[in-house]
C-alpha cells in the first residue's frame, strides 16, 4: 500500500505542476506605452481587427495599438481624427489619434454594411453602404445619418471632386457570383442627390481624385476580365480615357508627383496622371512591392504599401517606397494588414 | 489510507477542480466505443465519459445541443438557439470530432461537421465520449475524440408520454411505446418540438431587441426492432426519420429576416450479432443514411437557395475473438459509399475501404499492489477513392493498482478527411476547391491517473481522474488567397494542443439513502496554439462544470454551474468573448400514482442569474429561461 500512496501522490503532484506550468492565467496584451506621434501611418489589420501605427520620424512600428470593429473596410484621417469604417459592426469609429482612444461612434444602422467614407467638407461625410445600395450622408456635428441617397448596385469606393461625390457601383450579383454593368454615381453634395450615372468597366471598386480628374479603378472579374483604370473628367462627368491595366489590381493612390500607383499581386504598376499613360506595366511592375493591397503617400512623396498574410503565418508587412521608387524599408504589421492611411 | 483520501480531497479543493458535472462518471458502466467491444470503464486505456440515461432524463433538454450546453463534457459553439451548434474536444475543430449513432457516422462528408441541434434527445439511451485521437479504431475525423450515441432499445411492455414546456414558446411532446413478445421486441418513439426562440438581447448599441425569425419546429420518428433469432444470435433493425424546419435569424447587425433552413434525415440500420462460442463472435452492420439540407434566403444582397443531399451506405463485418481472455482481439473490415449532390459542389462520390484490428494484451499480476497491466495496440488502414489516408496506429497502456488506482497512457496517429467542399468547391472568380488536398494529420498522446474508491469506504464513493494530453496537427487545411486573390484550401496549418482534463465524483450516502448527496465535476485546460502561438478561436482555455445534487430518485434537486474563460474570435487573439459563468437549477419528483406507473415532474431554471454571454461572436444566447417536463410512464410484464 505504501507504493500506491507514493504513486498517487507523485502522479498527482506531477500533473499539478504541469497544470501550473502550462495553465496559469490568461494571455493579456498590454499596450500602455506611449503611442502617439505627429507623423504616422495607420494600418488596418483585418484579421486582428486592430490598427498598427508606424511612426514616420522614428521609423518604428507599433502593432495592435487600437481595437477596431469587425471587418474594417476603410480608414480616413482628418486632422487628429481617424474615421474607421467597420462593415461588420455597421458603424464608424472616431478615433483621437493623439490619445488613440475612441471619442465617437457613428451608427450607420443594422443591415447596411458601410464600406467607405469620404468628406465633402468639415461638416458632412458620405458613407457607401453595400446592403442598402445607397450612400448615407452623415452630419459630423451630431454624428448622425441625415439622408439616404440611392445609388447603383453594391456601392463601394468613393471620392470627392469639388462639390461632387463619385461613388463606385460594382454591381456584384451574390446570387450568380458575377458582375453586372459597373457604374459611377455622381452626387451633388449641395442637395445630396444623384445628378448622373456614368458607365465604366467591370467591377469599379475604388476611386481617387487628382485635380479635376477622377480615377476609377475597375478590378475586373478576377478571372478573364482584367482590371482597367477609367479616367473621368469631373467637369463634364464623362470618361475621357480607359487604361488597360493587364492584371487584377487591389489598391490605388496618387503620389504628390502626380503618378497613380496601383497595387497588384506582381508588384506596383503606375500611370501618369496627366497623360493617362502606363509607366510601370503589369509586365514590368515594381516587383519589390508585390502582393500589396492598401497604399498611401505622405506629403514628401514616400509611399506606404501594406501586404497582408491571410494565411496567418505572421508575414504581414508595411513596405516603404522612397521617392525613387525603391524599397526603403519593411516592417512587420499586424494580422491581415490591408488598408493604410497617413497623418502628416 | 484515510489520510490519503482526505489529502486527495483537499488537493481537489486547492486546485479549484471541485466542480461537478451531471453524473459524468456513472459507476460500473459498460462502455462499447473505446474498444469496439463491451468493456468496463476501468478496463480501458482511453479517457472516457458516459452520459447515462438517468442524467439525460433529469434535464429538460430537447436535443444534444441543449444537453451539452449545460455541462462541460465537451465544448460547444452555438450560433443561436435552434440554428447551428458544433462541438469541440481537446481543442479540436468541429470536423475533427467524429460523432456516431450506434457506430454510424454522422459527420457530413460535404463539410465535415455535425449539427448538434439536429440530434433529438428522444432517441438516446446514453452517450459515450472517448477523448483523444481514435482514427486507429474509427478512421477519419476522430482527431479530438469521438461521441457515440447509443439509441434506446425495446423494453418489456411500456408506454411513456412526456411533454416539455418552456420559455419563448418552447413546446415538446413525445410518446414512446415498447413491447417484447418472446424473442421479438419493438420500440417506437414519436416526438415534436417547436419554439419561437424570440428572446430579448442587446445589439451593439445597447438597444434591447427581440430575436426575430428564430422559430423552429422539429419532428422525429424512431423505431427499433430486435429479434433473438437464436440464444446466440440476434438481429436489430432501426429506422429514424427526422425533419427540422428552422428559421435562421442571422448575426447581430446582419439579420436575415426571411432566411430558412430545412433539414431532413432518414436512417436505416441493421445489426446482426452471432456468438459462435464463449470466445468468438461476429457482427455484421449495415446502414443507409440520407441527409437533406436546404437553405433559403430570398433577401438582398445574399439571395440564395442552396440544397445539399448526402447519402452514406456502409457495410461492415467485425470479429471478436478470444473474448473473456486476457487478450481479446477485434478485427474488422468495412466499405463506405458516400454520395453528395449539392448546389455547391455538384455531384460527388467517395468510396472508402477499411480494415482494422485492436487487441488488449493483459496480464494479471501481484506486484506491490499492481494487479493488472494491459496494452491496447490498434491499427487501421483506410483507402479513399479521392485522397490518400494510409495507416493509423495507436497503442494504449493501462495499469491497475488494487482496483483503486489506474494509470493510463495512449499514443497514436489520427487524421481528418478533406471535405467535399475542400476538394471540389467549384472554381469561380474568388474561390476554388483543391483536389490535391491531403488529410489533416495528428500525432496525439495522453497520460492520466485515476483514483476509484467505490467500495472501500462506508457511505462514500469517490472517483477522481486527471489526464494530460497533447496533440500536434500538421497539414491542417486552411483557405487562403493565392494569385489574383482567389481563395483556395491548402495543407498549411500547424496546430499544437495540450491541456489537462479532470473529472471528479463524490457521492455520499446518508439516512440509508444511497448517493443522497452527489458532487460531480470536471475541468478542462485547453491550450490550442497555431503556428504563431496564438490560441485558436472559440477554444476557451479554462472550462469548468459541476453539479451538486441532493435527494433520492423520487425527489431531488440539483444545481449546475458552467464557467468558461474568454474565447478569442480573432486569430491574432486581439478580441475575445468575455468569460461567463451560468447556473442552471433543476428539481424533480416522481410518484407511482397507479400500479406499474410512474408520473414525474421536472422543473428547470436555465441561466438562472441571467448571464449575458455568447459562444460565437454576434450570435446572442438566451438569458434566464424556465421549463418544466411532465412525464407519465407505464410498464407491464
Amino acid at each position: 500500500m505504501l507504493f500506491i500512496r507514493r504513486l498517487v501522490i507523485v502522479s498527482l503532484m506531477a500533473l499539478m505542476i504541469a497544470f501550473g506550468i502550462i495553465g496559469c492565467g490568461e494571455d493579456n496584451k498590454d499596450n500602455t506605452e506611449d503611442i502617439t506621434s505627429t507623423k504616422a501611418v495607420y494600418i488596418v489589420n483585418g484579421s486582428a481587427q486592430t490598427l498598427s501605427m508606424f511612426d514616420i520620424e522614428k521609423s518604428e512600428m507599433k502593432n495592435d495599438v487600437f481595437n477596431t470593429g469587425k471587418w474594417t473596410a476603410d480608414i480616413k484621417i482628418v486632422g487628429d481624427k481617424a474615421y474607421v469604417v467597420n462593415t461588420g459592426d455597421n458603424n464608424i469609429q472616431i478615433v483621437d489619434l493623439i490619445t488613440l482612444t475612441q471619442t465617437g461612434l457613428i451608427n450607420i444602422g443594422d443591415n447596411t454594411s458601410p464600406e467607405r467614407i469620404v468628406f465633402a467638407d468639415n461638416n458632412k461625410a458620405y458613407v457607401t453602404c453595400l446592403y442598402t445600395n445607397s450612400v448615407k450622408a452623415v452630419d459630423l456635428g451630431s454624428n448622425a445619418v441625415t439622408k439616404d441617397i440611392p445609388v447603383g448596385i453594391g456601392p463601394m469606393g468613393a471620392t470627392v471632386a469639388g462639390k461632387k461625390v463619385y461613388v463606385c457601383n460594382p454591381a456584384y450579383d451574390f446570387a450568380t457570383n458575377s458582375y453586372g454593368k459597373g457604374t459611377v454615381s455622381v452626387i451633388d453634395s449641395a442637395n445630396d442627390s444623384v445628378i448622373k450615372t456614368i458607365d465604366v468597366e467591370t467591377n469599379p471598386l475604388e476611386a481617387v481624385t487628382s485635380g479635376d480628374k477622377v480615377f476609377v479603378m475597375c478590378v475586373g472579374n478576377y478571372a478573364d476580365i482584367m482590371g482597367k483604370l477609367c479616367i473621368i473628367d469631373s467637369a463634364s462627368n464623362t470618361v475621357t480615357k480607359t487604361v488597360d491595366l493587364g492584371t487584377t489590381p487591389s489598391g490605388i493612390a496618387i503620389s504628390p508627383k502626380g503618378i497613380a500607383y496601383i497595387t497588384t499581386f506582381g508588384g506596383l504598376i503606375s500611370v501618369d496622371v496627366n497623360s493617362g499613360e502606363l509607366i510601370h506595366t503589369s509586365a514590368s511592375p515594381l516587383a519589390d512591392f508585390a502582393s500589396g493591397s492598401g497604399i498611401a503617400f505622405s506629403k514628401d512623396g514616400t509611399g506606404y504599401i501594406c501586404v497582408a498574410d491571410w494565411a496567418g503565418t505572421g508575414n504581414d508587412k508595411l513596405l516603404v517606397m522612397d521617392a525613387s521608387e525603391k524599397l526603403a524599408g519593411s516592417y512587420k504589421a499586424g494580422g491581415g494588414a490591408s488598408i493604410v492611411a497617413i497623418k502628416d | 489510507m484515510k489520510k490519503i483520501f482526505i489529502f486527495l480531497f483537499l488537493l481537489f479543493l486547492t486546485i479549484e477542480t471541485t466542480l461537478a458535472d451531471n453524473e459524468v462518471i456513472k459507476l460500473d458502466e459498460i462502455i462499447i466505443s473505446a474498444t469496439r467491444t463491451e468493456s468496463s470503464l476501468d478496463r480501458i486505456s482511453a479517457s472516457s465519459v458516459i452520459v447515462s440515461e438517468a442524467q439525460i432524463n433529469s434535464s429538460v433538454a430537447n436535443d444534444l445541443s441543449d444537453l451539452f450546453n449545460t455541462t462541460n463534457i465537451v465544448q460547444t459553439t452555438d450560433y443561436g438557439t435552434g440554428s447551428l451548434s458544433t462541438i469541440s474536444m481537446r481543442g479540436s475543430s468541429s470536423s475533427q470530432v467524429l460523432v456516431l449513432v450506434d457506430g454510424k457516422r454522422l459527420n457530413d462528408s460535404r463539410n465535415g461537421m455535425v449539427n448538434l441541434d439536429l440530434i433529438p434527445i428522444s432517441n438516446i439511451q446514453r452517450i459515450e465520449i472517448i477523448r483523444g485521437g481514435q482514427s486507429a479504431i474509427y478512421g477519419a475525423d476522430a482527431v479530438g475524440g469521438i461521441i457515440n450515441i447509443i439509441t434506446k432499445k425495446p423494453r418489456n411492455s411500456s408506454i411513456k408520454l412526456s411533454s416539455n414546456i418552456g420559455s419563448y414558446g418552447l413546446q415538446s411532446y413525445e410518446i414512446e411505446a415498447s413491447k417484447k413478445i418472446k424473442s421479438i421486441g419493438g420500440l417506437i418513439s414519436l416526438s415534436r418540438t417547436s419554439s419561437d426562440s424570440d428572446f430579448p438581447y442587446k445589439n451593439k448599441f445597447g438597444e434591447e431587441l427581440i430575436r426575430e425569425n428564430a422559430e423552429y419546429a422539429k419532428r422525429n420518428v424512431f423505431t427499433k426492432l430486435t429479434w433473438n433469432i437464436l440464444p446466440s444470435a440476434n438481429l436489430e433493425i432501426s429506422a429514424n426519420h427526422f425533419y427540422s424546419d428552422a428559421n435562421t435569424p442571422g448575426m447581430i447587425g446582419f439579420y436575415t429576416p426571411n432566411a430558412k433552413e430545412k433539414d431532413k434525415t432518414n436512417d436505416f440500420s441493421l445489426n446482426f450479432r452471432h456468438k459462435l462460442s464463449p470466445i468468438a463472435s461476429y457482427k455484421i452492420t449495415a446502414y443507409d443514411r440520407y441527409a437533406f439540407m436546404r437553405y433559403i434566403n430570398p433577401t438582398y444582397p445574399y439571395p440564395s437557395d442552396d440544397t445539399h443531399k448526402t447519402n452514406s451506405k456502409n457495410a461492415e463485418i467485425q470479429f471478436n475473438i478470444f473474448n473473456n481472455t486476457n487478450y481479446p482481439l477485434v478485427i474488422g473490415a468495412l466499405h463506405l459509399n458516400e454520395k453528395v449532390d449539392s448546389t455547391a459542389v455538384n455531384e460527388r462520390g467517395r468510396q472508402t475501404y477499411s480494415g482494422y484490428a485492436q487487441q488488449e494484451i493483459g496480464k494479471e499480476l501481484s506486484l506491490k499492489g499492481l494487479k493488472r497491466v494491459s496494452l491496447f495496440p490498434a491499427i487501421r488502414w483506410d483507402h479513399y477513392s479521392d485522397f490518400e489516408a494510409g495507416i493509423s496506429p495507436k497503442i494504449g497502456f493501462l495499469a491497475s493498482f488494487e482496483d483503486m488506482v489506474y494509470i493510463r497512457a495512449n499514443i497514436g496517429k489520427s487524421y481528418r478527411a478533406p471535405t467535399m467542399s475542400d476538394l471540389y468547391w467549384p472554381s469561380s472568380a474568388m474561390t476554388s476547391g483543391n483536389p490535391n488536398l491531403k488529410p489533416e494529420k495528428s500525432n496525439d498522446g495522453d497520460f492520466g491517473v485515476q483514483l476509484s474508491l467505490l467500495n472501500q469506504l462506508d457511505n462514500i464513493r469517490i472517483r477522481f481522474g486527471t489526464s494530460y494530453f497533447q496533440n500536434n496537427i500538421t497539414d491542417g487545411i486552411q483557405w487562403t488567397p493565392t494569385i489574383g486573390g482567389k481563395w483556395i484550401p491548402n495543407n498549411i496549418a500547424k496546430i499544437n494542443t495540450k491541456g489537462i482534463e479532470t473529472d471528479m465524483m463524490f457521492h455520499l450516502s446518508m439516512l440509508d439513502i444511497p448517493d443522497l448527496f452527489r458532487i460531480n465535476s470536471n475541468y478542462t485546460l485547453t491550450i490550442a496554439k497555431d503556428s504563431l502561438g496564438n490560441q485558436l478561436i472559440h477554444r476557451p482555455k479554462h472550462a469548468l462544470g459541476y453539479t451538486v445534487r441532493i435527494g433520492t430518485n423520487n425527489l431531488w434537486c440539483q444545481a449546475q454551474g458552467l464557467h468558461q474563460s474568454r474565447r478569442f474570435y480573432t486569430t491574432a487573439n486581439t478580441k475575445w468573448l468575455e468569460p461567463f459563468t451560468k447556473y442552471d437549477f433543476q428539481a424533480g419528483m416522481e410518484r407511482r400514482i397507479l400500479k406499474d406507473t410512474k408520473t414525474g415532474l421536472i422543473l428547470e431554471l436555465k441561466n438562472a442569474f441571467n448571464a449575458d454571454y455568447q459562444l460565437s461572436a454576434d450570435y446572442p444566447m438566451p438569458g434566464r429561461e424556465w421549463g418544466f417536463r411532465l412525464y407519465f410512464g407505464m410498464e407491464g410484464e
Side-chain angles (χ1 to χ4, degrees):
Chain A
M1 295 308 285
L2 180 64
F3 176 79
I4 293 175
R5 290 180 198 179
R6 288 175 180 166
L7 183 67
V8 169
I9 294 168
V10 168
S11 300
L12 288 171
M13 292 302 287
L15 284 165
M16 284 179 60
I17 291 166
F19 169 82
I21 291 171
I22 67 175
C24 289
E26 299 277 8
D27 299 322
N28 284 305
K29 296 196 173 181
D30 187 3
N31 295 314
T32 55
E33 59 182 313
D34 178 27
I35 46 176
T36 61
S37 177
T38 52
K39 291 187 177 181
V41 180
Y42 293 88
I43 301 133
V44 172
N45 303 311
S47 54
Q49 299 187 12
T50 59
L51 295 182
S52 292
M53 192 204 76
F54 178 73
D55 186 319
I56 291 175
E57 290 170 342
K58 296 179 185 171
S59 292
E60 282 180 4
M61 178 71 86
K62 291 186 172 64
N63 287 316
D64 305 328
V65 296
F66 179 82
N67 275 357
T68 65
K70 191 162 75 173
W71 308 338
T72 299
D74 196 15
I75 179 171
K76 294 281 167 50
I77 293 173
V78 180
D80 289 328
K81 288 181 185 172
Y83 290 78
V84 178
V85 181
N86 301 310
T87 299
D89 289 334
N90 297 304
N91 66 24
I92 294 166
Q93 291 168 293
I94 304 171
V95 184
D96 183 336
L97 296 179
I98 304 297
T99 59
L100 277 174
T101 55
Q102 181 177 311
T103 57
L105 193 66
I106 305 172
N107 179 6
I108 303 300
D110 284 342
N111 277 26
T112 53
S113 190
E115 301 290 340
R116 307 286 189 276
I117 185 170
V118 292
F119 300 89
D121 51 42
N122 290 335
N123 302 315
K124 190 194 280 186
Y126 293 90
V127 179
T128 59
C129 294
L130 176 72
Y131 273 32
T132 55
N133 293 331
S134 67
V135 170
K136 309 279 187 187
V138 175
D139 178 75
L140 295 176
S142 61
N143 288 335
V145 174
T146 57
K147 189 169 182 182
D148 185 62
I149 308 162
V151 291
I153 298 171
M156 296 291 285
T159 188
V160 174
K163 297 288 184 186
K164 289 181 278 193
V165 183
Y166 292 79
V167 179
C168 300
N169 305 307
Y172 183 67
D173 185 339
F174 289 89
T176 60
N177 195 24
S178 62
Y179 292 92
K181 181 63 185 169
T183 61
V184 171
S185 300
V186 185
I187 297 171
D188 181 349
S189 64
N191 56 20
D192 289 341
S193 60
V194 174
I195 56 173
K196 187 169 184 181
T197 300
I198 306 166
D199 285 349
V200 291
E201 298 293 329
T202 302
N203 191 10
L205 200 66
E206 304 289 353
V208 290
T209 304
S210 178
D212 58 357
K213 291 179 181 173
V214 172
F215 294 79
V216 178
M217 185 185 81
C218 301
V219 172
N221 66 354
Y222 300 97
D224 58 328
I225 301 174
M226 294 293 111
K228 292 185 171 60
L229 188 66
C230 295
I231 304 173
I232 296 173
D233 172 24
S234 64
S236 61
N237 286 330
T238 55
V239 176
T240 56
K241 185 164 186 173
T242 298
V243 183
D244 192 345
L245 300 175
T247 185
T248 301
S250 298
I252 183 169
I254 295 177
S255 75
K257 284 185 177 177
I259 298 173
Y261 288 90
I262 296 164
T263 52
T264 73
F265 185 82
L268 275 184
I269 59 178
S270 59
V271 177
D272 184 292
V273 166
N274 293 320
S275 66
E277 297 296 324
L278 278 164
I279 302 170
H280 293 97
T281 66
S282 59
S284 57
L286 296 165
D288 286 344
F289 308 98
S291 300
S293 50
I295 180 169
F297 285 88
S298 61
K299 288 174 183 169
D300 67 0
T302 305
Y304 298 90
I305 300 112
C306 46
V307 180
D309 172 17
W310 297 112
T313 56
N315 290 319
D316 307 88
K317 293 177 284 193
L318 177 73
L319 305 177
V320 182
M321 182 176 74
D322 64 20
S324 61
E325 299 180 334
K326 302 294 184 196
L327 180 65
S330 176
Y331 302 87
K332 180 174 166 48
S338 47
I339 308 166
V340 64
I342 296 174
K343 174 194 164 199
D344 66 348
Chain B
M1 182 62 82
K2 280 187 178 176
K3 287 179 182 175
I4 291 180
F5 306 147
I6 295 166
F7 168 76
L8 288 172
F9 186 67
L10 292 173
L11 206 57
F12 306 158
L13 295 174
T14 59
I15 59 175
E16 297 181 355
T17 56
T18 55
L19 35 163
D21 200 28
N22 195 3
E23 214 170 327
V24 166
I25 300 172
K26 180 73 177 173
L27 304 182
D28 309 322
E29 282 281 7
I30 296 298
I31 191 162
I32 301 167
S33 314
T35 56
R36 282 182 174 268
T37 187
E38 288 188 355
S39 300
S40 160
L41 266 179
D42 293 336
R43 286 287 298 268
I44 58 173
S45 66
S47 172
S48 308
V49 174
I50 291 175
V51 183
S52 67
E53 186 174 15
Q55 192 176 341
I56 294 167
N57 287 342
S58 10
S59 80
V60 188
N62 290 298
D63 54 47
L64 210 52
S65 169
D66 288 345
L67 187 69
F68 286 157
N69 279 347
T70 59
T71 69
N72 185 42
I73 302 170
V74 294
Q75 268 85 57
T76 58
T77 295
D78 206 304
Y79 295 82
T81 311
S83 292
L84 172 65
S85 180
T86 60
I87 201 165
S88 172
M89 290 170 65
R90 291 189 170 178
S92 73
S93 68
S94 58
S95 55
Q96 290 169 341
V97 177
L98 178 62
V99 182
L100 308 162
V101 172
D102 295 329
K104 175 176 61 198
R105 297 174 66 92
L106 294 194
N107 294 59
D108 194 312
S109 54
R110 181 179 60 86
N111 60 15
M113 292 199 305
V114 174
N115 183 355
L116 301 180
D117 279 329
L118 304 181
I119 303 176
I121 284 289
S122 56
N123 296 359
I124 302 174
Q125 183 176 64
R126 66 202 187 102
I127 303 166
E128 299 182 354
I129 297 162
I130 317 294
R131 296 163 172 153
Q134 305 294 331
S135 288
I137 300 170
Y138 288 99
D141 309 331
V143 174
I146 68 157
I147 294 174
N148 193 10
I149 296 161
I150 311 297
T151 58
K152 291 175 177 172
K153 288 183 167 52
R155 306 176 190 222
N156 289 332
S157 299
S158 72
I159 292 177
K160 183 179 155 192
L161 305 169
S162 72
S163 175
N164 294 354
I165 305 290
S167 298
Y168 313 118
L170 173 69
Q171 295 182 51
S172 174
Y173 305 98
E174 181 193 350
I175 180 167
E176 180 188 304
S178 182
K179 178 77 177 169
K180 275 189 177 174
I181 302 172
K182 294 183 178 175
S183 60
I184 295 177
L187 178 144
I188 182 165
S189 167
L190 309 170
S191 65
R192 186 184 189 283
T193 303
S194 62
S195 173
D196 295 331
S197 290
D198 51 350
F199 58 86
Y201 70 100
K202 287 184 179 172
N203 71 2
K204 296 184 177 182
F205 298 96
E207 300 162 335
E208 189 157 292
L209 304 174
I210 299 293
R211 196 75 165 135
E212 293 178 346
N213 196 44
E215 58 265 39
Y216 63 83
K218 301 171 185 177
R219 60 175 187 258
N220 183 65
V221 181
F222 175 71
T223 61
K224 185 176 276 188
L225 187 71
T226 58
W227 179 23
N228 292 326
I229 302 168
L230 298 168
S232 60
N234 66 70
L235 178 68
E236 186 176 287
I237 298 172
S238 64
N240 188 199
H241 168 78
F242 174 79
Y243 179 77
S244 166
D245 188 352
N247 292 357
T248 56
M251 68 170 76
I252 293 176
F254 287 90
Y255 306 107
T256 49
N258 302 304
K260 289 175 181 291
E261 181 178 321
K262 295 176 190 295
D263 290 271
K264 182 169 72 176
T265 56
N266 289 322
D267 293 274
F268 178 81
S269 61
L270 181 148
N271 202 318
F272 175 72
R273 296 164 191 265
H274 188 195
K275 190 173 178 181
L276 298 170
S277 75
I279 63 161
S281 63
Y282 69 91
K283 180 175 77 170
I284 296 172
T285 307
Y287 69 76
D288 187 326
R289 175 176 171 80
Y290 170 78
F292 169 91
M293 193 272 256
R294 184 181 181 197
Y295 176 77
I296 310 156
N297 180 12
T299 312
Y300 180 85
Y302 295 107
S304 49
D305 186 351
D306 292 320
T307 302
H308 311 288
K309 301 172 194 167
T310 309
N311 182 231
S312 309
K313 289 183 170 66
N314 182 84
E316 179 174 355
I317 185 163
Q318 177 181 308
F319 295 92
N320 291 39
I321 312 167
F322 312 130
N323 300 333
N324 306 312
T325 70
N326 277 333
Y327 39 89
L329 171 66
V330 177
I331 56 173
L334 65 89
H335 172 230
L336 174 64
N337 179 8
E338 295 170 287
K339 287 182 181 172
V340 170
D341 182 1
S342 160
T343 49
V345 296
N346 304 318
E347 289 188 30
R348 303 290 174 181
R350 174 179 288 170
Q351 304 284 329
T352 311
Y353 297 91
S354 306
Y356 56 84
Q358 194 266 336
Q359 188 167 30
E360 177 186 357
I361 304 168
K363 186 166 179 59
E364 307 290 343
L365 300 168
S366 181
L367 181 65
K368 287 189 175 182
L370 179 60
K371 288 189 71 175
R372 183 178 174 85
V373 171
S374 296
L375 287 174
F376 296 85
I379 192 163
R380 176 166 169 140
W381 167 81
D382 291 304
H383 172 75
Y384 288 81
S385 57
D386 51 352
F387 63 90
E388 288 297 324
I391 301 286
S392 302
K394 181 184 176 185
I395 187 160
F397 170 79
L398 174 68
S400 166
F401 297 88
E402 299 288 355
D403 291 332
M404 286 190 292
V405 176
Y406 302 87
I407 294 177
R408 295 185 159 96
N410 297 279
I411 187 166
K413 290 176 178 286
S414 290
Y415 70 97
R416 176 179 87 83
T419 65
M420 299 278 189
S421 293
D422 292 331
L423 292 164
Y424 306 121
W425 193 265
S427 182
S428 68
M430 296 178 186
T431 53
S432 174
N434 180 358
N436 299 315
L437 284 174
K438 299 177 287 185
E440 295 182 343
K441 298 186 184 75
S442 89
N443 295 310
D444 82 298
D446 58 31
F447 171 80
V449 179
Q450 180 183 300
L451 173 70
S452 293
L453 299 172
L454 306 181
N455 305 308
Q456 290 83 352
L457 298 173
D458 293 337
N459 300 325
I460 293 176
R461 299 199 290 177
I462 294 174
R463 180 179 267 166
F464 173 75
T466 184
S467 300
Y468 169 83
F469 62 87
Q470 187 157 350
N471 190 0
N472 298 327
I473 294 175
T474 54
D475 289 337
I477 296 170
Q478 185 172 335
W479 288 69
T480 51
T482 55
I483 296 172
K486 183 182 277 194
W487 290 70
I488 293 175
N490 279 296
N491 293 99
I492 55 171
K494 291 181 181 174
I495 296 161
N496 293 311
T497 305
K498 58 187 174 183
I500 287 176
E501 297 153 338
T502 65
D503 299 296
M504 194 274 281
M505 178 205 78
F506 175 82
H507 286 195
L508 176 65
S509 299
M510 293 171 67
L511 307 171
D512 292 330
I513 300 170
D515 297 335
L516 176 67
F517 179 72
R518 308 175 194 179
I519 299 176
N520 291 288
S521 72
N522 57 48
Y523 164 77
T524 309
L525 167 71
T526 306
I527 300 172
K529 304 279 190 182
D530 63 17
S531 58
L532 294 179
N534 293 321
Q535 180 83 353
L536 299 185
I537 62 169
H538 291 147
R539 270 68 153 197
K541 190 172 176 182
H542 305 281
L544 179 67
Y546 58 89
T547 298
V548 179
R549 175 176 166 134
I550 186 165
T552 66
N553 287 336
N554 297 329
L555 183 64
W556 55 271
C557 61
Q558 68 180 21
Q560 290 181 296
L562 177 65
H563 171 80
Q564 289 189 4
S565 63
R566 62 184 176 178
R567 290 174 172 227
F568 293 106
Y569 63 86
T570 57
T571 53
N573 291 177
T574 50
K575 290 194 169 182
W576 56 84
L577 298 170
E578 292 299 326
F580 71 88
T581 303
K582 74 182 187 81
Y583 298 93
D584 301 330
F585 296 100
Q586 291 104 6
M589 61 181 294
E590 186 176 293
R591 289 287 179 270
R592 290 184 185 276
I593 298 171
L594 300 170
K595 189 186 174 191
D596 297 329
T597 69
K598 57 184 179 183
T599 304
L601 175 68
I602 299 172
L603 300 172
E604 182 173 56
L605 187 61
K606 290 165 75 174
N607 193 5
F609 300 114
N610 212 21
D612 185 9
Y613 73 105
Q614 294 180 3
L615 297 173
S616 180
D618 296 336
Y619 290 91
M621 296 296 288
R624 186 182 299 113
E625 292 179 275
W626 62 269
F628 73 85
R629 176 188 186 112
L630 184 65
Y631 62 90
F632 170 80
M634 187 167 66
E635 287 205 40
E637 294 296 324

